[in-house]
Amino acid sequence: MKLITFTEQGVTRIGAIEDGKVIDLHAAFEKKLESEGKLRFKQIAEAYVPADMNGFLQGGKESLDYAKEAVAFALKHEKYKGKQLVFSKEDVKVEAPVPSPGKMICVGHNYREHILEMGREIPPYPVVFAKFANTVIGPEDDIPHYPISDQLDYEAEFAFVIGKRARNVSQAEALDYVAGYTIVNDVTYRDLQRRTLQWLQGKTVDGSAPMGPWLVTTDELSDPSGLEVVLTVNGEERQRSNTKNLVFSVQYLVEFLSGLMKLEPGDVILTGTPGGVGVARDPQVFLKDGDVVRIEIDGIGALENKVKKVMGEISE
């Protein structure tokens, strides 16, 4: 299943994409229960298929199974008792699939070719840093380029989303704790990143984590290895690799990170970027106003955003 978060007439909720149609999962499940004569259909729907992604993911496989029932009902009843359950994709705004992750954990130096181009050695342990929820934007949003730097760079990232609480999970069980996979562009202000030994300044500027176009659940994409990752800028290929080249696999990262901290449903983990980033090119090349950055990953789809120069400082 391809899960999304979407906004329609100012209201944001979760949905599923089926053949270019957007199914409102919460409304569809509620109306399905109502059609079955359930007396507490509103409360049951809120408990098992709530309208927010983090809440939905907390329900695990049980909520996913109910969501599939909701999709089947909605495709038979696109409108039920005056409530629209299915929309054309063109009539809604698609947001980041996980708009407010509790944690965004990023892994640096995880593709061998990127490590080499940056002049570093293969790390014995994952290099871990963070982005925050303020960085998240959707697949239909522009990447804001603030005048705090002229070294705006791209980083194609294969990302996974945690589906149930994880603490000290083994690699053998790791994929049971993954809800699904998406794409994130780890947009980086390079000079800010290199101000200090810690990278945080260059990684956490507002709008620096385009995410999407959806979350592909693990029943549809079961193996995170062997997926081609390609990034282009204005149609020119800049990055290409395969998730089989990850130094630390998804399974390893779940084990490693859950040994450090409790992972919760809705936490997003970025697995690292391939070689070809702008700062490592000769000559260096950075993103500018109007550039279109497109990331394609096998089994997921494409995330495409345009860079837009912002005049003035970051505002509320």
Side-chain angles (χ1 to χ4, degrees):
M1 181 178 288
K2 293 181 176 67
L3 297 173
I4 67 168
T5 296
F6 72 100
T7 299
E8 191 268 334
Q9 292 190 357
V11 179
T12 300
R13 59 268 205 197
I14 63 167
I17 290 278
E18 291 279 343
D19 298 323
K21 296 180 177 181
V22 175
I23 294 94
D24 183 335
L25 289 178
H26 175 72
F29 187 55
E30 180 181 296
K31 291 305 180 184
K32 175 182 180 294
L33 295 172
E34 184 180 3
S35 74
E36 295 169 350
K38 303 289 186 183
L39 295 180
R40 295 173 56 83
F41 60 89
K42 289 183 180 292
Q43 293 89 340
I44 296 170
E46 181 59 36
Y48 288 102
V49 187
D52 70 289
M53 186 63 76
N54 287 23
F56 173 75
L57 293 176
Q58 289 170 6
K61 185 179 183 302
E62 188 173 19
S63 287
L64 184 62
D65 289 342
Y66 284 136
K68 291 177 181 178
E69 294 178 11
V71 169
F73 178 83
L75 292 178
K76 292 180 180 178
H77 311 275
E78 294 197 0
K79 192 171 186 179
Y80 187 83
K81 290 191 174 181
K83 181 70 172 178
Q84 193 71 34
L85 307 181
V86 180
F87 303 89
S88 169
K89 186 172 178 291
E90 291 71 30
D91 294 335
V92 306
K93 182 180 185 295
V94 180
E95 312 286 358
V98 188
S100 300
K103 293 189 283 293
M104 289 186 73
I105 306 167
C106 308
V107 181
H109 303 153
N110 202 22
Y111 283 88
R112 289 170 176 82
E113 71 273 19
H114 180 51
I115 297 169
L116 296 175
E117 77 175 359
M118 300 300 282
R120 301 178 184 272
E121 297 181 355
I122 303 295
Y125 301 101
V127 176
V128 177
F129 60 97
K131 292 176 90 81
F132 304 121
N134 67 294
T135 64
V136 176
I137 59 174
E140 297 180 1
D141 294 323
D142 292 332
I143 300 168
H145 185 183
Y146 295 101
I148 52 176
S149 166
D150 59 2
Q151 294 188 4
L152 192 70
D153 208 349
Y154 51 81
E155 291 192 9
E157 303 256 357
F158 173 64
F160 63 93
V161 179
I162 296 299
K164 61 180 179 178
R165 182 170 291 170
R167 189 74 168 100
N168 296 318
V169 172
S170 70
Q171 289 191 54
E173 300 174 318
L175 294 186
D176 293 338
Y177 291 80
V178 176
Y181 304 95
T182 190
I183 304 170
V184 178
N185 187 348
D186 179 18
V187 174
T188 304
Y189 288 74
R190 290 297 180 194
D191 51 350
L192 304 189
Q193 177 190 8
R194 295 183 170 191
R195 281 174 171 174
T196 67
L197 292 176
Q198 297 292 334
W199 299 349
L200 196 69
Q201 296 178 57
K203 296 288 188 176
T204 54
V205 177
D206 289 351
S208 61
M211 181 192 299
W214 38 61
L215 176 65
V216 181
T217 56
T218 54
D219 58 339
E220 185 169 327
L221 179 58
S222 59
D223 186 359
S225 182
L227 307 176
E228 200 75 2
V229 180
V230 180
L231 180 144
T232 61
V233 178
N234 302 326
E236 176 191 358
E237 185 175 303
R238 300 281 182 86
Q239 291 184 287
R240 178 181 288 271
S241 192
N242 192 289
T243 58
K244 68 183 179 184
N245 297 325
L246 289 171
V247 176
F248 304 107
S249 67
V250 171
Q251 293 91 323
Y252 181 95
L253 291 173
V254 172
E255 179 183 74
F256 178 79
L257 294 170
S258 71
L260 296 176
M261 68 193 84
K262 186 183 295 180
L263 301 177
E264 298 283 359
D267 286 350
V268 178
I269 290 87
L270 284 61
T271 61
T273 198
V277 294
V279 72
R281 290 180 169 268
D282 187 14
Q284 293 180 336
V285 57
F286 297 107
L287 296 172
K288 61 185 185 301
D289 186 48
D291 282 349
V292 176
V293 186
R294 181 179 177 88
I295 305 170
E296 297 183 58
I297 299 182
D298 289 345
I300 299 177
L303 170 68
E304 182 175 297
N305 302 87
K306 180 181 287 188
V307 177
K308 183 177 182 180
K309 187 175 182 179
V310 178
M311 304 304 293
E313 301 299 323
I314 297 173
S315 60
E316 295 182 1

